[in-house]
Amino acid sequence: MKILTGNSNRPLAEAISAFLNLPLTNASVRRFSDDEVFVEIHENVRGEDVFLIQSTCYPANDNLMELLVALDALRRASARRVTAVIPYYGYARQDRKSGSRTPISAKLVANLITAAGAARVLTIDLHAGQIQGFFDIPTDNLFAAPVFVNDILEKFDGEEITVVSPDVGGVVRARAIAKRIDADLAIIDKRRERAGVSEVMNIIGDVAGRRCILVDDIVDSAGTLCNAAVALRDAGATSVCAYVTHGVLSGNAVARVTSSPLEELVTTDSIPATQAVRVAQNIRQLTIAPLLGEAMRRISDERSVSSLFDHPPV
């Protein structure tokens, strides 16, 4: 078993390497003068089970090309099997035709990863579960829920909590966490006028006098979360915090979060923290390195990955 990483999220790769007590494979990922991606592996990987760790976060296209070129390099170096470990799967929000003459880019990216030489994919909290079906190779979609549940139980032990889904599409995810912590569930019904802009309409459920926890998979502009926090406080919630797997936090998102009623935004390190995120008073990251590392070990050993959620690593 060997671990290789691109440049997208080296801190997470190093944390996984430390968890597995396995050094990162010596390789260089660099650019030519015209920004072409070049990957060179400095160790023998012939016949090895290789895990390539690369999030397709900002800059998404550069990191995607790094992933594809590294996959090709490993395939041509005769690696026995290459697993693409993609903590954050970019383009996942383009999972259907949203209008006439629009692409399904999540499927296109899946085709590219398969054609480049990946034998299987390991990712976490896909935006839509059906994206697994876009791949014609085995795909393991992990969930950050165990990591979030442990943190919630430690922080809010014994308090009256309501888990809130910021939209109807995220109800399944929110219900799973609410069930694990034995909390009530509420749903925010919103109408989105255009991409990146949302308007809160109604709150379905009782939130008055409760500490509310918003649960989602991606926070990008943070408009939905901040509007939801305002609506919950107006409805009588004593406090509002949010647990979101992928902290994209583009544009003015960090400033929007820091000036919002959100007591805290908790994300994972599937996307590396920017300087703005690191200094923000109410944004915190949890690591998913043990979760991904244990899944990688089980895949290499040909053991069950689904049982990981019955007994998550610590």
Side-chain angles (χ1 to χ4, degrees):
M1 178 179 177
K2 284 185 177 291
I3 306 173
L4 186 72
T5 183
N7 293 322
S8 71
N9 198 342
R10 193 169 185 90
L12 176 59
E14 291 172 347
I16 293 171
S17 170
F19 175 82
L20 292 172
N21 195 25
L22 195 65
L24 292 173
T25 298
N26 185 15
S28 57
V29 182
R30 58 183 188 272
R31 301 284 194 277
F32 288 125
S33 57
D34 61 353
D35 270 354
E36 279 186 15
V37 175
F38 178 71
V39 175
E40 187 174 9
I41 302 162
H42 303 298
E43 294 182 25
N44 180 25
V45 295
R46 183 180 297 272
E48 296 282 0
D49 191 13
V50 182
F51 291 82
L52 171 60
I53 302 169
Q54 177 81 341
S55 278
T56 50
C57 51
Y58 176 84
N61 297 332
D62 287 353
N63 287 329
L64 176 60
M65 277 306 300
E66 279 190 14
L67 173 64
L68 298 176
V69 174
L71 285 170
D72 187 71
L74 288 167
R75 180 179 61 176
R76 295 177 189 279
S78 300
R80 176 172 57 85
R81 178 176 69 177
V82 183
T83 299
V85 181
I86 311 172
Y88 171 64
Y89 183 75
Y91 286 96
R93 286 171 285 182
Q94 299 180 49
D95 61 338
R96 66 194 184 282
K97 287 195 71 172
S98 57
S100 301
R101 298 170 295 281
T102 57
I104 305 179
S105 303
K107 170 60 176 168
L108 171 63
V109 171
N111 289 344
L112 290 170
I113 290 169
T114 304
R120 67 183 303 134
V121 169
L122 175 63
T123 186
I124 186 163
D125 273 336
L126 284 170
H127 184 60
Q130 65 265 23
I131 293 174
Q132 292 176 83
F134 292 176
F135 289 93
D136 294 324
I137 54 178
T139 303
D140 293 301
N141 180 31
L142 304 182
F143 304 100
V147 178
F148 287 162
V149 165
N150 289 341
D151 192 74
I152 291 168
L153 290 176
E154 184 178 323
K155 185 175 179 182
F156 300 99
D157 186 32
E159 297 190 44
E160 290 289 327
I161 296 172
T162 297
V163 175
V164 183
S165 173
D167 53 37
V168 175
V171 171
V172 173
R173 183 180 298 104
R175 183 183 289 119
I177 289 184
K179 185 177 179 181
R180 282 173 175 256
I181 64 175
D182 193 26
D184 292 336
L185 177 68
I187 304 165
I188 292 181
D189 172 39
K190 74 172 193 289
R191 181 175 64 215
R192 187 182 292 276
E193 300 295 340
R194 61 182 185 275
V197 178
S198 65
E199 179 184 355
V200 172
M201 300 299 290
N202 292 301
I203 297 173
I204 305 168
D206 184 19
V207 299
R210 299 293 193 97
R211 299 197 72 171
C212 292
I213 299 176
L214 287 157
V215 175
D216 210 349
D217 64 320
I218 298 174
V219 53
D220 187 351
S221 65
T224 295
L225 278 185
C226 294
N227 288 346
V230 170
L232 290 168
R233 289 305 300 267
D234 290 346
T238 57
S239 69
V240 183
C241 66
Y243 282 76
V244 184
T245 306
H246 307 296
V248 177
L249 296 170
S250 60
N252 295 322
V254 173
R256 193 173 288 118
V257 169
T258 54
S259 61
S260 76
L262 280 172
E263 183 180 278
E264 188 175 45
L265 168 61
V266 181
T267 67
T268 73
D269 54 355
S270 65
I271 296 173
T274 62
Q275 178 62 22
V277 170
R278 285 192 290 269
V279 301
Q281 296 279 329
N282 61 340
I283 301 179
R284 176 165 60 96
Q285 277 196 336
L286 299 174
T287 185
I288 51 172
L291 182 64
L292 284 171
E294 183 61 25
M296 289 162 59
R297 179 153 49 201
R298 292 183 183 210
I299 289 170
S300 184
D301 295 342
E302 304 293 350
R303 291 189 289 132
S304 170
V305 174
S306 61
S307 61
L308 181 63
F309 298 102
D310 299 324
H311 305 284
V314 294

